[in-house]
Amino acid sequence: MFFLGILIAILNFILGVFVILKNKSLTNLVFGLFAISAGVWILSIFFTLHTDATLLWGRMAFFSSVLGIGFIFLFTLIFPGKRRLSKLTVFSILLIPIIIGFSSFTDLMIKSVAVENNSINGVFGPLIFIHRIFIPVYIIGAIFLLFKKYHSATSVFQKLQLKYTIVGITLFLVPVMLMNAILPLWFSVYQFNSLGPLFSIFMVSFIAYAIVRYRLMDIRVVIQRGIIYAVLLTLIVGFYLATVFVLGFAIQQATDIAILFSAAITAVVGIFSVPPIERYFRKSTDKIFFKDKYDYSTVIDELSEILNKNLDIDQIIGDISETLERVFKVGRVGFLLVPQNTLFYDHGTLKKAEDYYSEEIIAGLENSKELIVHSEIPYMLKDEDIGKGYRRTLVKVGRHGRRHKTEVTIPIVFEGNMVGVLVMGKKLSGDMYTGEDLQLLKTLSYQAAIALEKAKLYEEVKKSAHELEKRVKQRTEKIQQLQEDRQRMMIDISHELQTPLTVVKGELGLLKQQMPDNKKLGLFEKSIDEISKFIYDLLYLALLETKQERFKKEPVNLSNMVKDLAEYFKVLAQEKNITFIADTKPNIVVSGDKDKLEELITNLVNNSVKYMRKQGKREISIVLRKKKGVVQLIVRDTGIGISKKDLPRIFDRFYRAKNSKRLTKGTGLGLTICKEIVARHGGTITAKSTLGKGTAFTVVLKTRKTRKKTPSKKHRGGSKHP
């Protein structure tokens, strides 16, 4: 019994000190002072029983017991709602215990203390009646306050905290009131007064369980360390006493030497064994005290990263569900997406929402937008201020929770509108969701609302882009089909027109033979030739655009081609008093159709000749060169030029600049044909012009890639002859 009392006293004392150091709140301070008072009370009783200073230690036991009861009563006033009391109220509550406690060191309360048959009795002074009234009133009052708070609690969490606190304090205070107040003070029975304080072990045990299971106070570390250090102290004391006994038995007469050696051995063993034993106990008890422990900021960071990096709704829900199941150790995490109103995510699969939530439940949650803890619904329904609509929602949500083993329902709200619902099942450990858990889930719901809305917008944009791409493709195919139909029609019309024109021209030739002096027949023949040329160009362009015109892909020495054509262009230019200049770099080779390239150059030069100014400098030049890996062919003239307004459209079919119409006739197809020939060769053609000064056409073509010749197998490696 002696060692048990010492152990309980030490456990109370360590618990009280750590509770006070852990948190400076009034709740922790009062509870810590009570635990210290209980420890001092137990030690004082056992010092009274085993020392000669019975009066001093008896009065100390009386003093500490009275203060402990006062602290318990104060604790029941401020717990569990963390009620704030003024300093005057606190002083008033503790005034009577303080008066009784300090008066116990005088003859007014205790005159003498005696120990008989392991029990403590004494002679009391005239103020003892205050103690006889104080103890029952404070103890009954404390228990009454706890029961009252239990029945008025609106949270199941507080209910469970209060339940274990009531059981622990009642199992302590009732035996104390019986053994240390009623029996000795009213009936002079002192045999049991040393046992009363030992019942504090029940209070410590139940409150420790409430701390670990239901977060009674944030002192799980305190409880853990207190138990560990108490066990270590017990082991050290036990080892020391065992060593003293063994050495005392071995060295029967050298008692002082045995004690000295025992202390030295215990110190050495303690230095080397206590740290690993303490680590072992801490690791073992972590599984009990911190089985659902997690770091709030780390989890928030992890969840935020998932929400910010993903744009796929299924991926977001899947990763969040997996993280929450791992952190909270729950069997089920669900997401209901309200706008769709058809999908419910459960264990990585999509299911119909109607199988879980009715439209009425969804509407009720959308109206309330409040987090609901299902185990607290019965207490919430007792609140008369709840509206009928929300009351119906709570009832239905509660039924749903019982049916599907759901514990927490968290609406996900974005800008006042609910976009989803997060559903959490019960913890596999059986523990309840703490305030920290609910705060984390609320914070997650705010971030999830933004992420889900962002993912929803992304899906809509992606869907719109897909629809737009599909429509553009259909539109392009339709336009392409129209172009092909038009080109086919042009080819058919050209063929159909060319045949009668050929017949008319033949008949016109016969008429010219019969009437050689008729000048109108010559004009008529010239008009037919112009129409025939127009039809030819139209047919030729249609064939180029439909890619029915065959193009050869062969090496073409463009340098030699320009030189040969330059001789012809010089003769043509001299007849019209035009200076022609050719500047070509040698050995410029491209891949293409020689005839089409000749036609391209001839068309550009003829175009320059046709629109040459009548007065001033009359000059046409061709420049051929390589530049930055491409071939540039530039045809420049000093002709009439093209206005800025007409320049962007000169390659359009049938388009002719206004100033060119007054100078000469044309079909408006020549430059269009040039552009199509260049395009078929994979190049580009551009024009720069200044009205009244001239025009420059630049054709850019790719150079032909030539492969280096590799030596044949016969000659590879050199001759075999010496």
Side-chain angles (χ1 to χ4, degrees), residues 62-86:
F62 203 85
F63 170 77
S64 56
S65 66
V66 171
L67 281 184
I69 299 300
F71 287 131
I72 276 289
F73 183 78
L74 182 60
F75 177 76
T76 59
L77 277 177
I78 60 177
F79 177 82
K82 297 181 180 179
R83 177 183 173 187
R84 293 186 178 182
L85 300 178
S86 65

Side-chain angles (χ1 to χ4, degrees), residues 357 372-378 397-402 406-409 423-424:
Y357 285 92
I372 299 174
V373 179
H374 289 235
S375 55
E376 295 186 1
I377 290 177
V397 170
R399 290 174 184 169
H400 171 276
R402 290 190 294 273
T406 302
E407 178 59 19
V408 184
T409 298
V423 180
M424 301 287 293

Side-chain angles (χ1 to χ4, degrees), residues 147-170:
F147 273 100
K148 183 180 178 181
K149 289 187 176 184
Y150 177 82
H151 287 291
S152 61
T154 58
S155 167
V156 67
F157 206 69
Q158 289 184 354
K159 285 269 187 183
L160 291 169
Q161 289 180 335
L162 285 164
K163 182 175 73 173
Y164 288 100
T165 304
I166 289 171
V167 172
I169 289 180
T170 303

Side-chain angles (χ1 to χ4, degrees), residues 241-253:
L241 294 176
T243 306
V244 170
F245 176 76
V246 172
L247 290 178
F249 182 78
I251 311 172
Q252 295 180 0
Q253 295 180 350

Side-chain angles (χ1 to χ4, degrees), residues 387-407:
K388 292 182 179 180
Y390 188 46
R391 188 179 296 274
R392 284 196 300 271
T393 300
L394 288 175
V395 171
K396 291 183 178 296
V397 170
R399 290 174 184 169
H400 171 276
R402 290 190 294 273
R403 187 165 61 251
H404 297 288
K405 298 180 180 179
T406 302
E407 178 59 19

